[in-house]
Structure formats: C-alpha cells, structure tokens
Amino acid sequence: MDAKETEAMLRGQVAIWQNLFGFADSMALKCAVELGIADIIHSHGRPITLDQIAASINESSSPDIPSLARIMRLLVRRDIFAVHRQLDSGGTLYGLTHSSRWLVTESESNLAPMVTMQNHPLQQAPWHYFAQCIKEGGMPFMKAHGVELWEMASMNPHFNKMFNDSMACTTKIVMQAVVLAYKDGFTSIGSLVDVGGGIGEAIAATVKANPNIRGINFDLPHVVATAPAYPGVEHVSGNMFESIPAADAVFMKWILHDWGDEDCVKILKNCKKAMPEKLGKLIIIEAVLQPEGHELFDDVANIMDLVMFAHVSGGKERTEMEWKNLLAEGGFPRYNIIKIPAPYYIIEAFPN
C-alpha cells in the first residue's frame, strides 16, 4: 500500500474503535445526569473545582474523586463540559457548555430525562437483538422482554413514569419550535385533539399560545391517569385504533413513527373520521429522513430510525416519498412540510 492508502486504512481502524466503544459516551453522559453534575455547576453560577462537584453529590459522604475525574475527562473531550484553568493556582475548574446546559433540570430546555430513559437497561437490552431479528424476524424489545413497550409501560409504574417524563421533556423543547413556526396555522382552529398526547405537555403548550383552541389530550387510560390538569385542556382516554374524539383538527407528535404502514393507515383513517370533511386538518410532528443529508439534525433522525426498530413493532422514520404515499392511503392526498429547528418537521395534511 502507498502512504495515502496506509493513512486511509489507519483512519478506518480508528473509526471502528470509536464506534466499537460508542456506548462509553452515552454511559458517561448518563453518569453525569445521575450525579447531577450540570445542576451542581449551574447552582454555583460559575466554573468550579472537582472537589466542589464531589462535595455537592447527594447521598455520598465520600465520593470517588479520581473516578469522577476520569468521567469528566471524557466528557470534556466531547465538549459536554468545559475546562478552565485558574491563573493563580494553576488548578482546574469545570464549567457548563452549550451542550451541558441542556442537562440542567430546572431549565425549560432539559434533555436529562431522555438521557436517563434511553440509557436505562430496559431500553438498552433490545439493541442486542438486532442481528437475531434481522435473521429471524421479530421485534427487539419483544425478544428482550417478552412484552411490547406499551405493555411494559402499563404494568411497570416506574418505567411508565420514566417514559412519560422523557416524552414530556422533549415535547417542551420541540413545541417551542412548533408554536413559533406554526402560529398562523393554529389561528383558525376551534378545537384540537392531540392523539397519543401523553400527559398533555404538547396540547397544553399549544392552548397556552392559542387561547382560541379547546384542547383535548387523548391517550391510553394508564397514561391519562397520571396527566396533570391544564387550563383549556380536557383529558380523554381511549384507543386510537378504535376511534378518536371529534375536533376541527388532529395533532400527532411522534405517533406514526411508532407503527408500521398498515397500522398507520388505520390511525389516519380514524383521524379523518374525527375531523370536518372539508375543513379538517391533520398536523403531524415527525422526522423526514434525508439518508444522505448533512444538515444539523439529519444524523439524529437516522439514529432515531434505529431507536424505532429497537423499541416498537414496525416503527420507523420515513422519507418524504414514504410520507406522501402513507398519507394518500390514509385519506390525506394534500400535504405541506414545514422545517423547524428540531430533529422533526411539521407535516400538515388535508383530507381533500
């Protein structure tokens, strides 16, 4: 091999090593969330020493500071935290970055519950079944646990809360972008039903920004049972495969990507039945895959496609052509795609 080929092979080896140990990044991130490191630094209002971080870790009278230093070293390399040198003593201070600010739990823009959820052993186990499912068929989550994710949530209160909290935190972030980008789209709506709305964060944010809307949060009984009260929002339990409460428009965030095409068509047809025949509107918040795209969130969307494969039956992210075909089959031949600063898009669709 010439020098150029040798260099390329060496870089290829490095890429394999980095991907081989890719889990180390997520485990270090999970550790930081569990220890509340971002919150500790934020509470001081300035960069602080490792000893100060260790002294603020709850439920520990003697934290292992050398091990903490090793965790922080990797997270600094990943730009999750920043290092500042003390000019007088030469010591090291640790501060927040634009990344770790997303882990401060008192912030409205807080992804810490999602870090906890996606790195929980129950969520990690299905990833070990990819090859088996490709060879034999089946769903990784079912292979790992013997039940589907939704059944796990209904029978395990801790898992159910963790899942709902993770959805709620990401909903807050995405809905800020949705409400701003789609403010004109909500003005003509008198009533809006959020299908699979979880504990109601999305519909509550929409109604708060648009008091003209009567909101309906619609989800399974065990989900709605834990939903708090919001002004202008009614919680309704049921099954979207059977029927959906009537409203001027139907809203769905991260619902259709949980299901295969056949199930999605059933849901879409029920959405169409729930809205006025001529003036109804469907508002979907979903990824639109760009397999070769290089924009800010394109890589995240492609990773989320594997999250769907791991956790739900038939779930997947879709390209625009796949959305076009799915919507048409479900009774929505017209659609628009609106880009927002998030890993997802607004897809508005019409039944005529």
Side-chain angles (χ1 to χ4, degrees):
M1 291 188 290
D2 60 20
K4 187 176 181 180
E5 179 69 10
T6 299
E7 174 68 15
M9 286 298 294
L10 193 60
R11 290 183 179 279
Q13 181 189 159
V14 171
I16 294 299
W17 281 111
Q18 289 175 330
N19 284 280
L20 167 64
F21 289 115
F23 65 88
D25 289 352
S26 60
M27 290 298 106
L29 187 64
K30 178 190 178 188
C31 174
V33 168
E34 290 177 336
L35 295 176
I37 294 174
D39 286 333
I40 291 169
I41 297 173
H42 175 73
S43 70
H44 282 75
R46 66 185 189 282
I48 59 176
T49 66
L50 201 63
D51 285 343
Q52 287 174 304
I53 294 173
S56 299
I57 294 174
N58 293 330
E59 301 174 4
S60 177
S61 57
S62 56
D64 184 343
I65 295 179
S67 295
L68 175 61
R70 294 161 71 182
I71 296 292
M72 294 299 288
R73 181 168 56 199
L74 179 63
L75 292 175
V76 167
R77 285 189 63 86
R78 297 296 183 260
D79 294 322
I80 304 300
F81 295 102
V83 161
H84 306 266
R85 303 297 177 188
Q86 289 178 300
L87 295 179
D88 53 348
S89 66
T92 300
L93 301 177
Y94 294 89
L96 298 177
T97 67
H98 287 100
S99 296
S100 47
R101 287 191 179 97
W102 291 91
L103 304 178
V104 176
T105 55
E106 70 178 42
S107 169
E108 283 293 308
S109 302
N110 166 28
L111 284 168
M114 179 60 82
V115 173
T116 300
M117 175 65 178
Q118 293 299 338
N119 290 290
H120 190 277
L122 289 174
Q123 290 287 74
Q124 288 284 306
W127 293 78
H128 295 279
Y129 290 84
F130 276 16
Q132 184 178 344
C133 289
I134 288 170
K135 288 188 288 187
E136 303 173 358
M139 184 180 69
F141 197 94
M142 176 70 81
K143 295 274 190 186
H145 302 302
V147 295
E148 292 194 3
L149 184 147
W150 317 116
E151 187 177 354
M152 174 73 75
S154 69
M155 61 192 238
N156 184 326
H158 173 70
F159 182 83
N160 184 53
K161 183 179 187 306
M162 188 170 57
F163 183 86
N164 288 338
D165 287 348
S166 71
M167 292 298 101
C169 83
T170 49
T171 292
K172 285 182 180 179
I173 295 168
V174 173
M175 287 308 298
Q176 290 173 7
V178 170
V179 167
L180 184 62
Y182 199 65
K183 55 185 177 182
D184 293 338
F186 288 121
T187 55
S188 61
I189 297 173
S191 57
L192 179 68
V193 56
D194 185 355
V195 176
I199 59 174
E201 290 283 353
I203 192 68
T206 304
V207 171
K208 183 178 180 181
N210 302 273
N212 55 293
I213 294 177
R214 178 176 63 86
I216 303 168
N217 182 54
F218 180 67
D219 213 312
L220 295 169
H222 74 272
V223 177
V224 172
T226 65
Y230 301 100
V233 175
E234 176 189 4
H235 295 295
V236 177
S237 65
N239 188 323
M240 63 188 173
F241 289 104
E242 296 172 0
S243 66
I244 291 169
D248 295 336
V250 175
F251 181 91
M252 286 192 291
K253 178 183 65 63
W254 310 335
I255 300 302
L256 297 180
H257 75 171
D258 289 334
W259 304 93
D261 291 351
E262 185 177 338
D263 284 326
C264 283
V265 169
K266 293 177 183 176
I267 298 169
L268 288 169
K269 287 182 176 179
N270 282 338
C271 289
K272 186 176 180 180
K273 292 176 184 176
M275 64 180 64
E277 185 175 348
K278 294 184 178 180
L279 300 176
K281 179 165 60 174
L282 175 64
I283 306 164
I284 301 171
I285 311 300
E286 291 280 8
V288 178
L289 277 183
Q290 312 287 340
E292 298 177 7
H294 297 286
E295 294 195 22
L296 201 56
F297 288 106
D298 285 341
D299 196 53
V300 176
N302 280 277
I303 293 171
M304 286 299 297
D305 185 45
L306 291 188
V307 175
M308 295 301 103
F309 174 46
H311 294 156
V312 291
S313 178
K316 60 182 179 179
E317 306 295 358
R318 294 174 168 90
T319 63
E320 181 176 350
M321 185 55 65
E322 289 174 317
W323 279 118
K324 178 181 179 179
N325 294 336
L326 189 68
L327 290 167
E329 190 174 351
F332 294 88
R334 292 194 301 119
Y335 72 94
N336 297 314
I337 294 178
I338 302 167
K339 190 175 181 179
I340 60 175
Y344 304 94
Y345 292 73
I346 301 171
I347 306 173
E348 57 174 3
F350 307 91
N352 56 68

